[in-house]
Amino acid sequence: MQNAQNNYTEETLGVIFDKIDTLVDKYRNYVNEHCPKTLDSYVEKGEVFQVLTPFDPDGSADEQLIITLYKEVTGNNADVQIVEALSQYAEKFYDKALSEEEMSFLCENFSAVITYEFLVRDQWLSGCSGQHISEERIRLVKEHVKPEKGTRIFIADTEYCDLAVLFPDCIISGFTGMNYDQKKVWALGQIRLFAAGIHSEIVSGEEVNDEYSYTLPAKGTVDMVIFRVNEQKYAAQKLFGTECKDLEALYDLLKPNGKMLFFSEFISEMAGMKAEMYEAPIIDFRVRRTKEKAISSIVAYKDKGFFGNNYIMLALCKAENCKVYIKDELKSRSKYINADELDSEILWPSYYWTNQPADGNPLSSIVKHQQVRLLKEKELADFVKGEGWILHEKAKNMPLVLPDMLRDSYKDANLCNRIVNIVSDPGIEEEQAKLCVAKEPYVLLSNSTEDFRVGYSTEVPDGGIAYMKACCIVPLDGIDVRYIAALLFEPSVKEQILTICDGHNINLALPLVMDKIIVPNHDEKERLAFLAEANYEALLSSQEELKQEHNNYIKAVRMRKHALTQSLSSIGAKFNALNKCRIRQNGELSDDNVINPLRGTTVKEIFEFLSTRIEEMMPVLEHIADVEYSFLNPESIDPEEFIESYIKKEEKGWLNFKPIVSWKEGNNKGLKVTKDKDGNVIKEKISLITFKFPKDALEKIFDNILSNAKAYAFTEDNRKDYQLKFSWRTDGVSLIIEIENNGTPIPENRDTASLLEYGVSTALHQDGHNGIGCNEIKDIMTRYNGRVEIVSTPKEEYTVKYVLTFSNAYIFRQQ
């Protein structure tokens, strides 16, 4: 097939793109106006809207334009298969949409038109079919592939040729994988390569899947193979038959010294020796390549596209490599190791920076990984088609451990007396498929951003205990579960886990690398001694905490006594003023008597103030007087709803500043569609992400932050641009609310952590403030397993930030 390619400078290409954009947009608008349409529905901000949607291919303007231009440019030389694959779009072309001159311009600049169309394909290819290969993968391919003219490159799953188009003057072969409408994907990709002047021998996925009729290039004839292991691997397995020899067959294509780039996004493909059917051939492949010393480099990188996962790229050379280049882009570090040092059982770069003890046994010698899906046990669950999972009654009342219940120290890790959730709690129903169950003493681990947390139980109720989003390990016979929990916090063991599992979900990663984590080789007596020492240290730590809590209690009582005195004094002063006025008026008071000549305050205003202020201050005074003040029970809170209602409630008290939020209204709402017993559709708005906390306690926290801002941040009367900004986010486990202000910064010589200490008060005499200060925020957050941090950023727009972290977050689905 003849290739069509124009040469442009950057300047002329920019001008031409502008004109192409105008003409393509003109054609799209014409098609949208004239094509047949059907009534469709979509959901936005929890509301269902109906809209007229064009039929496919009637409304597929870009596909119509691309195939029509291709036919015009190639004439009799057009590829028959391409024309046939896109014939339905060509038949729908609207020839009146563009003038002859406009069509001539697009034909003359055909390669620029195709380049433009694929740059903006998100606009005309919907959903997954329009996805681009990530910038990170393209960057790595460019760094590792420097082909000469005539180089033969095989790309397993070419998709829309995002990689193939990088290699002009090369010969590209491969197939389109398992994309929806594979023939269309293939045809559009071929037009793209034709316009770029690239010789293509790519075939569509339909040919591959048609009784394995596709024939690979001959063995030893390809210079480079690029392969991504993802959902497309199933297509590759179908391509090579039921024996799953896909990777070996691809590797055999290489010439001597040929190269292969192998991209992986699955943890199980790069570590461990036990695998499901689909990972087994991949494990065999990496073991053989390690023995042959064919691996030349391993790169760990963060993919910003799709789900932002951590990925691995293996670079292989079909020759013996003495050195292996290891690069961890996540930590900005790299090094060379001898090929003999490469461990085929774990090809994660982070492992090669792990400090392992010289002596010891693998963690797997004392524990086993346990994962029993709650919903796979027939006696506990049924699956009802169209309605999701339905749990039996005994499963609904099963105790439930969530990641936020785990702790970062051994002394706090005992779960036996802290189970407060059950499976049927609100917010769990949509997570039921993720629930697992433990039926014997267990240890749970869960990731946080930079650390892991642990929980253990020596007693398990009849029927077991459910857990979610955690890794469950069970001691082997004769080993105390408390010993395992304490051992995980031993510095060398903890460091190994954090280093090896760096960047990976510990629930998925730890079971694969337990053979690589070295623990002390304790006998039974040494285990007992180790546990006794851990328990003793935990006891000392608890005693120190109790002592500190006692000291804090004394400080808190004094502080609250002082605040109570000040609060009552302010009310007493008002009564003294009234009494003096009464004496001046010979015992008779009227509404318009002036109490304070300077301010002009009247008797009526004083009584109005007292009646409202005393009512407001009674619960505040109760709180001040009672160190163990109890809030209402925790309840599910939608962060956006709460903040919006708080702003509305406090609207009159904003004074010289403006509250703002970082989201659009309804951002955290979704539409849940269910059916009742009669089959009627029930549409219900739900909050996508919530957290559990007492609402009155959260209001108290906000009140303190607001009072501090009024007292210290918004102090210049002439400034009109003061703002209090509310935002929120999740880290996958916890919910984080941030409240920032752009007022006066915290003095540079002031340690922000000290603001949270007992005895530090901000505004004892100010209206609406109980005088306890930031410590009350810390006290409330700690009471409900949360954290608070004050961040000072004097050089940024917002100079002070309160970061509130709430552990009990329910994430129904990621936004």
Side-chain angles (χ1 to χ4, degrees):
M1 180 173 66
Q2 179 184 353
N3 300 90
Q5 189 176 22
N6 300 90
N7 295 317
Y8 304 101
T9 64
E10 289 187 14
E11 184 176 352
T12 58
L13 188 60
V15 174
I16 290 172
F17 268 13
D18 287 341
K19 188 169 182 180
I20 292 172
D21 179 71
T22 300
L23 294 179
V24 171
D25 195 47
K26 179 181 178 181
Y27 184 77
R28 288 176 184 160
N29 291 336
Y30 187 92
V31 171
N32 187 56
E33 183 179 349
H34 292 83
C35 71
K37 299 177 181 67
T38 183
L39 195 63
D40 201 358
S41 300
Y42 72 96
V43 178
E44 184 176 319
K45 294 183 178 180
E47 298 291 337
V48 179
F49 299 90
Q50 290 189 322
V51 63
L52 288 174
T53 304
F55 283 103
D56 182 29
D58 298 80
S60 305
D62 292 80
E63 289 96 328
Q64 296 170 14
L65 189 58
I66 288 171
I67 184 57
T68 302
L69 292 176
Y70 172 76
K71 289 170 64 178
E72 288 291 325
V73 169
T74 57
N76 294 330
N77 294 321
D79 186 301
V80 176
Q81 292 185 5
I82 292 176
V83 173
E84 181 182 348
L86 300 175
S87 61
Q88 60 174 335
Y89 299 102
E91 292 170 1
K92 299 292 184 179
F93 182 73
Y94 290 81
D95 53 10
K96 294 181 180 179
L98 300 172
S99 67
E100 290 186 11
E101 290 181 353
E102 289 169 337
M103 283 295 292
S104 296
F105 172 82
L106 293 177
C107 288
E108 290 168 3
N109 296 280
F110 177 69
S111 63
V113 173
I114 300 305
T115 300
Y116 167 83
E117 285 282 19
F118 278 92
L119 284 173
V120 300
R121 75 170 184 250
D122 291 338
Q123 299 177 20
W124 53 278
L125 284 172
S126 61
C128 295
S129 62
Q131 289 177 346
H132 298 252
I133 289 178
S134 69
E135 294 179 4
E136 288 75 19
R137 189 147 66 98
I138 289 176
R139 171 182 59 81
L140 288 167
V141 169
K142 286 181 176 179
E143 289 177 3
H144 288 80
V145 182
K146 308 290 184 183
E148 299 178 353
K149 185 175 181 179
T151 297
R152 299 185 69 88
I153 301 176
F154 184 93
I155 301 176
D157 187 11
T158 58
E159 298 183 78
Y160 286 97
C161 297
D162 288 348
L163 293 180
V165 79
L166 301 176
F167 308 119
D169 302 320
C170 294
I171 302 170
I172 311 296
S173 56
F175 57 96
T176 56
M178 290 289 285
N179 300 75
Y180 171 74
D181 200 356
Q182 296 167 35
K183 203 70 175 180
K184 169 186 169 180
V185 173
W186 169 81
L188 290 171
Q190 297 318 289
I191 292 176
R192 185 181 186 184
L193 294 185
F194 167 74
I198 297 175
H199 181 77
S200 171
E201 296 177 355
I202 298 168
V203 301
S204 75
E206 288 183 359
E207 292 183 45
V208 172
N209 294 327
D210 184 15
E211 298 180 359
Y212 318 122
S213 60
Y214 175 59
T215 302
L216 283 170
K219 292 183 179 181
T221 61
V222 174
D223 300 288
M224 167 67 68
V225 170
I226 302 175
F227 187 78
R228 177 174 65 156
V229 184
N230 62 354
E231 66 275 5
Q232 311 304 343
K233 67 186 177 183
Y234 304 119
Q237 286 163 356
K238 191 168 185 180
L239 166 62
F240 298 109
T242 55
E243 294 183 3
C244 298
K245 300 296 183 182
D246 47 328
L247 284 172
E248 290 296 334
L250 291 178
Y251 190 74
D252 289 343
L253 300 181
L254 293 174
K255 298 175 181 178
N257 296 313
K259 296 182 178 180
M260 180 180 200
L261 295 187
F262 174 173
F263 292 88
S264 174
E265 60 192 81
F266 289 101
I267 296 171
S268 56
E269 294 162 355
M270 289 296 112
M273 298 304 293
K274 297 179 181 179
E276 300 293 335
M277 177 185 71
Y278 294 122
E279 279 75 31
I282 297 170
I283 293 172
D284 293 342
F285 176 82
R286 61 176 162 85
V287 169
R288 278 192 286 270
R289 299 295 85 82
T290 303
K291 289 180 179 179
E292 296 169 359
K293 299 183 179 179
I295 298 175
S296 58
S297 63
I298 309 175
V299 178
Y301 67 99
K302 188 80 171 180
D303 197 317
K304 297 176 184 176
F306 299 104
F307 302 105
N309 295 331
N310 298 336
Y311 289 78
I312 299 292
M313 186 202 77
L314 297 185
L316 299 95
C317 179
K318 202 170 187 179
E320 188 172 299
N321 301 278
C322 297
K323 297 282 187 179
V324 181
Y325 179 62
I326 309 288
K327 185 175 184 181
D328 185 354
E329 293 189 352
L330 307 173
K331 297 291 185 181
S332 300
R333 57 189 179 183
S334 62
K335 65 180 179 180
Y336 282 93
I337 66 171
N338 292 325
D340 294 331
E341 299 176 54
L342 197 63
D343 188 338
S344 64
E345 294 187 14
I346 180 165
L347 298 184
W348 296 345
S350 59
Y351 171 73
Y352 296 93
W353 275 275
T354 304
N355 294 318
Q356 291 181 300
D359 299 316
N361 291 330
L363 179 61
S364 58
S365 66
I366 56 174
V367 300
K368 61 183 177 181
H369 174 244
Q370 177 174 291
Q371 187 180 38
V372 179
R373 287 289 186 194
L374 178 61
L375 292 172
K376 284 187 177 179
E377 297 193 349
K378 293 181 180 179
E379 72 275 16
L380 295 181
D382 290 325
F383 184 75
V384 180
K385 187 175 182 181
E387 296 184 11
W389 296 101
I390 306 297
L391 291 176
H392 287 290
E393 289 304 318
K394 64 178 180 179
K396 290 181 180 179
N397 294 317
M398 183 178 288
L400 172 65
V401 177
L402 299 172
D404 64 87
M405 300 171 67
L406 310 184
R407 296 293 185 263
D408 57 6
S409 64
Y410 169 67
K411 69 178 179 60
D412 298 321
N414 190 348
L415 289 166
C416 288
N417 299 319
R418 289 196 288 111
I419 305 297
V420 295
N421 301 83
I422 58 174
V423 170
S424 59
D425 273 357
I428 301 298
E429 65 272 6
E430 297 192 16
E431 303 281 358
Q432 288 173 359
K434 300 177 184 177
L435 293 178
C436 298
V437 60
K439 294 190 173 182
E440 54 188 312
Y442 60 89
V443 178
L444 297 179
L445 295 90
S446 178
N447 290 66
S448 60
T449 306
E450 298 291 339
D451 206 346
F452 64 79
R453 294 177 290 189
V454 171
Y456 72 89
S457 182
T458 57
E459 301 172 6
V460 180
D462 293 340
I465 189 164
Y467 64 91
M468 182 171 63
K469 298 179 181 177
C471 175
C472 181
I473 55 177
V474 176
L476 299 184
D477 291 342
I479 299 178
D480 195 316
V481 69
R482 295 171 298 174
Y483 167 77
I484 300 300
L487 190 64
L488 295 175
F489 288 111
E490 198 275 326
S492 69
V493 176
K494 183 173 183 177
E495 181 185 359
Q496 290 180 74
I497 295 174
L498 290 174
T499 303
I500 297 176
C501 297
D502 182 34
H504 296 284
N505 183 333
I506 206 168
N507 187 22
L508 301 175
L510 187 62
L512 300 172
V513 299
M514 288 199 301
D515 287 338
K516 304 302 175 186
I517 297 166
I518 305 303
V519 299
N521 184 19
H522 289 157
D523 59 27
E524 184 176 356
K525 290 184 178 179
E526 289 170 329
R527 287 198 296 270
L528 291 173
F530 179 87
L531 180 57
E533 180 68 20
N535 287 333
Y536 180 68
E537 290 180 1
L539 177 62
L540 290 180
S541 178
S542 297
Q543 287 177 339
E544 185 62 31
E545 284 186 5
L546 289 172
K547 181 180 178 181
Q548 186 60 44
E549 280 298 315
H550 177 72
N551 293 335
N552 291 341
Y553 180 88
I554 300 300
K555 291 179 181 179
V557 169
R558 291 172 180 170
M559 189 66 193
R560 283 165 167 78
K561 178 181 177 182
H562 182 48
L564 178 58
T565 302
Q566 294 294 332
S567 298
L568 292 175
S569 295
S570 67
I571 295 176
K574 298 293 189 297
F575 279 107
N576 287 337
L578 281 172
N579 190 42
K580 289 178 181 179
C581 182
R582 182 185 62 80
I583 294 171
R584 289 198 304 269
Q585 299 296 327
N586 297 318
E588 295 183 4
L589 291 177
S590 61
D591 286 351
D592 56 357
N593 287 148
V594 175
I595 300 296
N596 187 328
L598 294 176
R599 295 187 179 182
T601 307
T602 66
V603 170
K604 180 181 179 181
E605 289 171 339
I606 286 291
F607 275 106
E608 287 177 348
F609 169 83
L610 289 172
S611 64
T612 56
R613 184 47 47 88
I614 290 175
E615 182 180 353
E616 291 175 359
M617 291 191 68
M618 286 308 295
V620 175
L621 294 177
E622 180 185 359
H623 189 185
I624 292 172
D626 185 1
V627 175
E628 298 181 351
Y629 179 86
S630 297
F631 292 103
L632 298 175
N633 290 329
E635 58 183 297
S636 293
I637 298 175
D638 180 321
E640 291 183 5
E641 280 185 356
F642 179 87
I643 294 170
E644 289 165 2
S645 64
Y646 183 83
I647 290 174
K648 195 170 294 184
K649 174 185 173 184
E650 296 288 337
E651 203 162 10
K652 294 180 181 179
W654 295 124
L655 301 177
N656 64 333
F657 59 96
K658 179 182 178 182
I660 62 172
V661 298
S662 62
W663 60 85
K664 294 182 180 179
E665 187 177 353
N667 173 68
N668 193 35
K669 292 297 183 183
L671 189 65
K672 181 179 180 180
V673 181
T674 56
K675 291 183 179 180
D676 61 19
K677 295 180 179 179
D678 299 325
N680 299 314
V681 175
I682 301 173
K683 296 179 181 180
E684 175 189 3
K685 284 186 179 181
I686 61 168
S687 299
L688 301 178
I689 299 176
T690 63
F691 66 102
K692 269 195 170 182
F693 207 79
K695 278 192 176 180
D696 54 341
L698 189 55
E699 284 185 3
K700 181 64 65 178
I701 290 170
F702 276 37
D703 286 345
N704 272 281
I705 294 173
L706 176 59
S707 295
N708 290 341
K710 289 178 181 179
Y712 294 104
F714 306 137
T715 54
E716 299 178 30
D717 294 334
N718 60 337
R719 273 191 65 176
K720 304 298 181 184
D721 62 339
Y722 283 136
Q723 291 181 347
L724 195 68
K725 180 183 177 183
F726 297 84
S727 59
W728 69 276
R729 56 188 169 86
T730 72
D731 62 4
V733 176
S734 302
L735 185 133
I736 299 141
I737 293 177
E738 296 180 348
I739 305 176
E740 306 170 77
N741 71 65
N742 62 346
T744 305
I746 296 172
E748 291 186 6
N749 62 350
R750 188 65 188 266
D751 178 14
T752 55
S754 70
L755 296 174
L756 299 169
E757 294 176 359
Y758 280 94
V760 177
S761 178
T762 54
L764 290 176
H765 302 281
Q766 292 195 18
D767 291 343
H769 198 287
N770 62 33
I772 305 306
C774 296
N775 173 256
E776 183 173 35
I777 302 173
K778 178 182 177 183
D779 178 62
I780 297 172
M781 292 297 292
T782 303
R783 190 184 304 186
Y784 295 100
N785 194 27
R787 302 188 306 277
V788 58
E789 179 185 8
I790 301 176
V791 181
S792 177
T793 51
K795 295 182 180 180
E796 297 182 8
E797 178 184 1
Y798 293 95
T799 55
V800 180
K801 179 195 298 183
Y802 289 81
V803 182
L804 306 169
T805 303
F806 303 88
S807 298
N808 298 343
Y810 289 128
I811 301 174
F812 292 151
R813 64 173 180 270
Q814 298 288 351
Q815 292 178 289

